[in-house]
Amino acid sequence: MEATRELYWNIGHGAAVLVPMYVVTFAALGLLAYYGYQRLAIYRQGKPVNRTDNRAERVKMLLQNVLLQSKVLKVKAPGFAHGFFFWSFAVLFVGTALVALQADGTDLLFHVRFLTGSFYKIFSLALDLAGLAATLMLAGFAVRRYLVRPAGLESSRDDAIMHGLLFAILITGFLIEGARMAVTELVYQPELAYWSPVGLLVANALSGLGDQALRSLHAGLWWLHFALVAGFICSIPFTKFRHIFTTSANYFLAPLGPKGALVTLDMEGDAESFGAAKLGDLTWKDIFDTDACTKCKRCQDRCPAHGTDKPLSPMKIIDQVGEIARGQAEDNLVETLGKDAVWSCTTCRACQEICPAAVEHVNKVVDVRRNLVLMEGEFPGEEVTTAMGNVEVNGNPLGLAFASRGDWAQDLPVTLMSDCADVDILYFVGCYASFDKRNIKVATAFVKLCAAAGIKVGILGKEEKCCGEPMRKMGNEYLYQTLAAENIAMIKEYGVKKVVTACPHCFNTLAKDYRDLGFDVETEHYTTFLNRLLKEGSLKVTPGAFECTYHDSCYLGRYNDTYEAPRELVQAAGGTIREMDRSQAESFCCGAGGGRIMAEEKLGSRISVKRSQMASATGAGMLVSNCPFCLTMFEDGIKGAELEGLLVPRDIAEILVEKVVA
């Protein structure tokens, strides 16, 4: 007997079945489309932004992240569980579509059947295993949500509806299969039953009910199963089920520009306000994000502010924006989000890096800050107000005289650009390496490394200003653009061909943000620059064994995906790295980003202390970084954690210069 089955067994295949079935199906799809369309009015409350350019690349991202679950899998164990659940349901969906295609298409119209023979056996086995995998994964999700719920994971009516509906659909599917098999395959084709292993177990359990009872059970469950599927379709616009569409769409709508780049405001136009004070000041994509968010709390788990008891949860920021969008659009964003939450963000991008829904958190926070600063003249503390004033007067937040910016380089092989612009690279020093005694040692080490490699280094000295990044992330876009314009003009005036900086914040700003303002000079961070010199043989070091742990700075790591070059430099110097639990893309911020380097940390515990404790837990006696902000924070964090003498903070350049072959 041929391996196949009657697709509408015990139900019939006449108009009495097909008409109501397809009427209900199309009605459910119509309801989904109608209420899905209604949600567009919510998104239209935001300002326009173009997220449909370069469609080929966007479609590629969509397919990669939906079909391969690439972003979801970054969440490791829960991500793999979701991935298996998705792929299982995809197999079930394809299987259902094939049944409809044959029963109501090829067989009905052309008497062509393809669900036969070996293909049917594979088809039957695939659907059984997919249904089992989906059930097991869903059970795991339920256990995690309701029995061993992690701290911060919130459950709502939506979650109960979603779990209940999906469980009911899966279980009724297996019961329908078991009832059918108990009457058919167990009796007439027992060898075929093995190709439906889960159905076989159910069939054996039900076989004692008798033929008529099984037929009645099958028919009742078949229509119940159909009603549940129709209910599932109808519920999508009203529950978190909508993320099936919105999260998928968010992969298509993701920004294609430089990673982490902010929108550059037109400060010379006729805009009456800047930043975001109310919902309409955000973009439609910002509002769309609130529907794509699944409240999985991955962002919250990785937020350094939330992890140190500050009143910031990236997840809640998105949820609160969504509540305003669905309720009172004129509500004040700051009042809803809370000033302390807005100012606590370090813009470390850990939330966005891990988000499986491609939600953009940082730009929303910065937009609210822009309104507070540019329209209200408000900062998180007097110390920030003072730092901003220092930048306006002296070009640096430390308040030191701009004329002394190049004093650190006296007696070093460095050329002032005003004296001679014929150099190999312009070293953009940054504020901390120019004025802070601890970071001057790093600048000195870098210059000596360049000299050892035969690289002629130039600096701007007193003509260099703060790159403006801390001011920008704090919301002071006007001051940032003023500083940027002066730096860009000066660098272009000297005809600089290449800029190297030891500060990831300066690097990210010059390499990305300045591009919107007409800057096109090649810019590189010193770790990749020195690593290339080592590989080319221009720079030679003699390794000496030591152990350390390495901290991935946010603006070199997550913002610029530079993880290997710094590690290769440490290893070239003879270092063995003991990685912290939170490293590379999951690195824990030092606490200085987002302009927080200028602000006192008054809420919760100190981020730098927690990161220092993570470093100490590795057992290494040295904490290596590549950023002046990080080095400054760790000097304080180690003291705060009472780890002095047990953990020493150092920059990579300081380690390398000790190993240079003369």
Side-chain angles (χ1 to χ4, degrees):
M1 186 177 291
E2 186 180 33
T4 189
R5 67 178 171 87
E6 184 183 345
L7 296 183
Y8 280 91
W9 176 85
N10 194 47
I11 302 299
H13 198 219
V17 172
L18 293 181
V19 171
M21 184 177 73
Y22 278 102
V23 165
V24 171
T25 298
F26 285 115
L29 291 172
L31 187 71
L32 167 62
Y34 175 75
Y35 282 102
Y37 179 76
Q38 292 293 99
R39 297 196 74 80
L40 293 179
I42 296 176
Y43 312 144
R44 290 191 182 113
Q45 296 174 94
K47 297 188 299 185
V49 62
N50 183 11
R51 288 299 178 87
T52 58
D53 58 321
N54 197 348
R55 294 182 183 178
E57 180 64 23
R58 292 185 180 280
V59 169
K60 178 183 176 182
M61 292 192 302
L62 170 67
L63 295 176
Q64 178 180 347
N65 286 299
V66 172
L67 299 182
L68 301 181
Q69 295 281 282
S70 300
K71 288 188 75 67
V72 172
L73 294 180
K74 286 185 178 181
V75 192
K76 297 182 179 177
F80 279 105
H82 186 282
F84 279 116
F85 184 75
F86 168 80
W87 293 317
S88 299
F89 246 87
V91 171
L92 293 172
F93 176 81
V94 170
T96 302
L98 290 175
V99 167
L101 177 61
Q102 175 177 296
D104 305 329
T106 62
D107 188 18
L108 184 66
L109 300 176
F110 310 109
H111 305 293
V112 174
R113 298 180 180 182
F114 52 83
L115 293 176
T116 60
S118 297
F119 181 72
Y120 173 75
K121 292 178 180 179
I122 296 172
F123 164 84
S124 185
L125 179 63
L127 262 63
D128 247 41
L129 295 180
L132 177 62
T135 303
L136 292 175
M137 294 303 104
L138 187 60
F141 296 151
V143 168
R144 178 177 181 269
R145 179 167 293 278
Y146 295 109
L147 298 181
V148 292
R149 182 166 56 190
L153 182 63
E154 300 176 352
S155 295
S156 65
R157 176 185 60 88
D158 277 14
D159 299 298
I161 292 173
M162 292 167 70
H163 279 84
L165 260 179
L166 292 175
F167 264 127
I169 290 170
L170 290 166
I171 298 303
T172 55
F174 279 125
L175 288 173
I176 292 166
E177 180 185 37
R180 175 189 60 79
M181 290 176 63
V183 177
T184 58
E185 291 171 19
L186 285 189
V187 178
Y188 304 111
Q189 290 179 287
E191 71 286 348
L192 183 60
Y194 291 106
W195 291 92
S196 303
V198 182
L200 179 58
L201 290 174
V202 178
N204 284 324
L206 297 176
S207 60
L209 293 179
D211 186 278
Q212 189 56 47
L214 286 167
R215 287 175 180 273
S216 298
L217 178 65
H218 174 272
L221 287 174
W222 194 95
W223 284 108
L224 174 61
H225 181 80
F226 174 72
L228 289 169
V229 172
F232 164 75
I233 295 172
C234 294
S235 70
I236 289 174
F238 309 105
T239 66
K240 285 197 294 185
F241 274 140
R242 59 180 169 265
H243 86 273
I244 296 170
F245 295 103
T246 54
T247 298
S248 299
N250 231 22
Y251 299 141
F252 179 86
L253 299 170
L256 295 180
K259 190 176 181 181
L262 297 174
V263 172
T264 299
L265 301 182
D266 180 3
M267 303 303 299
E268 298 180 354
D270 55 0
E272 295 181 0
S273 66
F274 299 101
K278 59 183 184 299
L279 186 74
D281 296 326
L282 297 174
T283 69
W284 67 262
K285 174 58 169 59
D286 290 323
I287 302 172
F288 187 84
D289 276 348
T290 68
D291 263 1
C293 175
T294 62
K295 300 182 185 178
C296 68
K297 85 178 189 73
R298 311 297 179 201
C299 57
Q300 179 176 288
D301 286 346
R302 284 159 180 77
C303 175
H306 188 270
T308 51
D309 303 316
K310 295 171 180 61
L312 169 63
S313 163
M315 177 183 71
K316 290 185 178 179
I317 290 284
I318 301 303
D319 189 42
Q320 288 166 330
V321 172
E323 288 177 357
I324 294 175
R326 294 184 293 272
Q328 301 297 322
E330 294 304 313
D331 284 359
N332 185 279
L333 283 173
V334 174
E335 292 178 1
T336 302
L337 304 182
K339 290 182 181 179
D340 286 339
V342 170
W343 290 126
S344 292
C345 178
T346 66
T347 68
C348 71
R349 206 182 148 81
C351 51
Q352 289 184 218
E353 195 73 14
I354 198 62
C355 179
V359 170
E360 300 163 53
H361 309 75
V362 174
N363 58 303
K364 297 174 182 56
V365 171
V366 173
D367 275 343
V368 174
R369 287 181 175 182
R370 283 170 165 173
N371 187 265
L372 283 170
V373 171
L374 298 174
M375 305 308 298
E376 306 296 332
E378 186 171 336
F379 294 101
E382 288 299 321
E383 72 281 6
V384 179
T385 305
T386 299
M388 294 285 182
N390 289 337
V391 173
E392 291 178 356
V393 175
N394 285 308
N396 70 84
L398 303 175
L400 298 173
F402 72 90
S404 63
R405 194 175 183 103
D407 289 356
W408 66 274
Q410 292 180 8
D411 303 322
L412 288 173
V414 173
T415 300
L416 275 174
M417 298 296 286
S418 57
D419 293 337
C420 177
D422 182 20
V423 295
D424 296 317
I425 64 167
L426 169 66
Y427 174 29
F428 193 90
V429 186
C431 300
Y432 275 76
S434 295
F435 296 109
D436 175 65
K437 291 182 179 179
R438 179 66 187 85
N439 279 286
I440 285 175
K441 295 179 181 179
V442 179
T444 300
F446 174 69
V447 168
K448 290 181 177 178
L449 287 167
C450 288
I455 302 296
K456 189 175 181 182
V457 178
I459 62 171
L460 292 172
K462 66 181 180 180
E463 294 177 319
E464 178 185 296
K465 300 287 181 68
C466 175
C467 71
E469 189 271 347
M471 295 80 238
R472 188 181 207 200
K473 294 297 165 61
M474 265 292 171
N476 198 340
E477 179 78 4
Y478 179 80
L479 181 53
Y480 154 72
Q481 290 193 25
T482 301
L483 296 165
E486 294 179 10
N487 283 326
I488 291 170
M490 193 59 61
I491 293 172
K492 285 188 171 182
E493 179 181 330
Y494 287 120
V496 173
K497 297 294 188 289
K498 183 180 183 66
V499 177
V500 177
T501 177
C503 175
H505 296 264
C506 295
F507 166 60
N508 190 73
T509 303
L510 271 67
K512 295 178 181 177
D513 298 342
Y514 276 20
R515 307 295 155 168
D516 286 349
L517 302 174
F519 186 69
D520 58 1
V521 178
E522 179 188 359
T523 304
E524 189 171 10
H525 188 257
Y526 86 99
T527 53
T528 56
F529 178 70
L530 292 179
N531 195 42
R532 185 169 58 257
L533 294 180
L534 272 174
K535 291 181 177 180
E536 291 172 353
S538 302
L539 179 64
K540 296 180 173 61
V541 297
T542 302
F546 65 94
E547 283 192 336
C548 66
T549 188
Y550 171 71
H551 167 77
D552 291 279
S553 61
C554 305
Y555 276 76
L556 188 63
R558 279 186 290 268
Y559 274 79
N560 289 283
D561 297 314
T562 301
Y563 299 110
E564 296 307 316
R567 285 174 170 78
E568 290 175 1
L569 288 175
V570 172
Q571 292 161 355
T576 299
I577 300 174
R578 294 187 180 183
E579 297 285 4
M580 289 181 262
D581 288 339
R582 297 279 297 273
S583 64
Q584 298 205 20
E586 294 187 16
S587 180
F588 195 82
C589 181
C590 73
R596 296 292 312 176
I597 187 71
M598 302 181 293
E600 295 178 12
E601 199 168 354
K602 302 171 184 177
L603 301 174
S605 56
R606 292 166 61 191
I607 296 174
S608 61
V609 169
K610 185 163 185 175
R611 187 54 168 169
S612 297
Q613 291 169 338
M614 290 180 187
S616 179
T618 66
M622 185 188 301
L623 171 55
V624 178
S625 65
N626 57 51
C627 170
F629 287 8
C630 295
L631 188 60
T632 300
M633 298 303 285
F634 292 146
E635 289 282 350
D636 292 337
I638 288 171
K639 294 176 183 177
E642 298 182 351
L643 293 171
E644 291 178 282
L646 301 175
L647 188 64
V648 178
R650 302 204 73 191
D651 188 272
I652 293 175
E654 296 178 293
I655 296 171
L656 280 175
V657 78
E658 295 172 355
K659 315 290 184 181
V660 168
V661 175

